[in-house]
Amino acid sequence: MDENKAPVTYYLYVQHNGMVMDDRPTHVISSCIMDIYTFPFDIQNCTFTFNSYKLFASDIQMLFFEEVEVTLANSLAVMKTKGEWELVNLLAEKPFIPPEDLNNTFDTLIYYIALRRRPTMYVVNLLIPSCFLIALDLFSFLLPPQHVDRSAFKMTLILGYTVFLLLMNDMLPVTGNTLPLINVFFSLCFALMVASLLETIFIINILCGSVNYGPLPRWVKVLFLNYLAKVVFLSKKPSEEKCNTEELRSEPRPCYSVAETLQGEDLLKTSPALQELRRIRNELLSIRQQVDKHLKADEIVDEWELLGQVIDRLLFSFYVVFLSVSFFTIVVYWIHWYQKTASLI
């Protein structure tokens, strides 16, 4: 893939038995097909094949200078720099060539190199901050939406997570034959934050617009306020006691004869005190009707607010369940594919 930048040597070692050793160092930069599905917990298997450029197996024979275990030990000894990759294993083989194919087949040596990525930097810089942000979004459901602007907090959180992904985008792999599972993890976190913001907007719309809404349908009262409210551990607030209509009823009047009744009606028409009492009674009835109207409106608002709280807590429960199942599934996939790749070493 690149030119040889190793130092040039000019010495040959000639032994008494006719063996000549030309020890020429070579700096090889090669390519490797990478499987980054389990990034940053991935293990890569790379293959290096060495053969003659123009001489067939009948002209030149290639042999291993030492056992592959010794080569692995020497490689680990000279690799002083602890970079992103760790050498895990080294295997080698020499394919068998039938005698009749020596004149048209190249003699080949194959090395299989297993490399494991060190995930500490990616866990600290990518996974842990994402988990903290999604946990912060989860606990933001504890903010009361009727007293705190929860939507502004969630929008700030989404903006911060977007900036975080843009800054850390250079750390993600861009080459590979599959989409990394960590990208699915980031997309899931972002989607959950957006979904929680939409849920907050919906709840705030119910709580703030409840004054202009009409009475709740009966099936909504039965389903949400009676059954689902118990499921999410919410109960109806004790409403204010309504005025008992029986108390405002007048006492039963005694029975009078027809003559007495006619005489009483004449008195009602002529007595100014009784007419004043009648006017006061009409005003009290009007006040009572207004109070009943306001009490009924307050009861409707309370029902809508309780409905918003029930839906908020219900969606929060769904959020927690979906978040737990999704994270558990991703972790299981990570472990499964890591063990599957490790078993191939």
Side-chain angles (χ1 to χ4, degrees), residues 90-275:
L90 181 64
L91 301 175
E93 70 168 341
K94 177 181 171 68
F96 173 74
I97 302 177
E100 61 272 12
D101 295 334
L102 293 176
N103 294 325
N104 56 11
T105 305
F106 296 104
D107 198 18
T108 304
L109 299 180
I110 303 176
Y111 282 91
Y112 301 98
I113 302 176
L115 301 174
R116 178 169 54 202
R117 194 191 304 267
R118 291 186 173 92
T120 306
M121 180 181 65
Y122 300 99
V123 171
V124 173
N125 294 329
L126 294 177
L127 294 180
I128 292 181
S130 296
C131 293
F132 283 160
L133 290 176
I134 199 67
L136 192 61
D137 181 68
L138 178 65
F139 283 102
S140 66
F141 279 92
L142 300 179
L143 298 175
Q146 63 270 28
H147 301 296
V148 181
D149 193 0
R150 189 199 292 177
S151 60
F153 177 79
K154 288 183 176 292
M155 291 177 65
T156 305
L157 196 63
I158 291 176
L159 179 61
Y161 191 67
T162 304
V163 175
F164 166 76
L165 292 180
L166 291 177
L167 293 176
M168 295 301 170
N169 187 47
D170 294 338
M171 299 184 63
L172 298 176
V174 294
T175 58
N177 52 1
T178 56
L179 180 69
L181 196 59
I182 193 172
N183 288 15
V184 179
F185 174 78
F186 290 150
S187 301
L188 178 64
C189 293
F190 190 79
L192 288 175
M193 290 183 181
V194 174
S196 66
L197 176 61
L198 295 177
E199 183 269 344
T200 301
I201 294 174
F202 176 68
I203 296 302
I204 292 178
N205 182 41
I206 292 179
L207 296 180
C208 296
S210 57
V211 181
N212 303 321
Y213 295 158
L216 281 176
R218 179 172 178 78
W219 66 271
V220 175
K221 289 183 180 181
V222 174
L223 178 61
F224 286 91
L225 304 187
N226 293 342
Y227 294 102
L228 293 181
K230 298 178 181 178
V231 173
V232 297
F233 303 102
L234 278 177
S235 58
K236 272 190 175 183
K237 297 180 182 179
S239 58
E240 297 181 359
E241 295 184 359
K242 299 180 181 179
C243 296
N244 191 0
T245 57
E246 299 294 332
E247 296 179 357
L248 298 179
R249 290 179 181 174
S250 58
E251 295 181 359
R253 294 177 295 178
C255 295
Y256 297 99
S257 61
V258 177
E260 292 177 347
T261 303
L262 294 175
Q263 185 180 1
E265 291 179 354
D266 295 336
L267 290 175
L268 288 176
K269 293 179 180 179
T270 57
S271 174
L274 292 178
Q275 292 179 358

Side-chain angles (χ1 to χ4, degrees), residues 70-91:
V70 180
T71 305
L72 176 61
N74 294 335
S75 301
L76 294 175
V78 299
M79 294 175 64
K80 300 299 182 181
T81 303
K82 302 299 182 182
E84 182 180 1
W85 297 97
E86 176 186 2
L87 181 60
V88 179
N89 196 8
L90 181 64
L91 301 175

Side-chain angles (χ1 to χ4, degrees), residues 257-304:
S257 61
V258 177
E260 292 177 347
T261 303
L262 294 175
Q263 185 180 1
E265 291 179 354
D266 295 336
L267 290 175
L268 288 176
K269 293 179 180 179
T270 57
S271 174
L274 292 178
Q275 292 179 358
E276 183 69 20
L277 289 176
R278 177 180 292 179
R279 185 181 64 81
I280 294 175
R281 186 195 64 175
N282 293 335
E283 291 180 355
L284 288 177
L285 289 177
S286 177
I287 293 175
R288 176 192 168 188
Q289 290 176 357
Q290 293 295 328
V291 170
D292 291 341
K293 183 178 179 180
H294 283 291
L295 289 177
K296 187 176 180 180
D298 292 340
E299 183 182 0
I300 293 175
V301 171
D302 291 340
E303 288 179 350
W304 277 103

Side-chain angles (χ1 to χ4, degrees), residues 138 192 318-330:
L138 178 65
L192 288 175
F318 289 157
Y319 184 89
V320 172
V321 172
F322 183 78
L323 180 66
S324 304
V325 173
S326 302
F327 278 22
F328 178 76
T329 304
I330 291 177

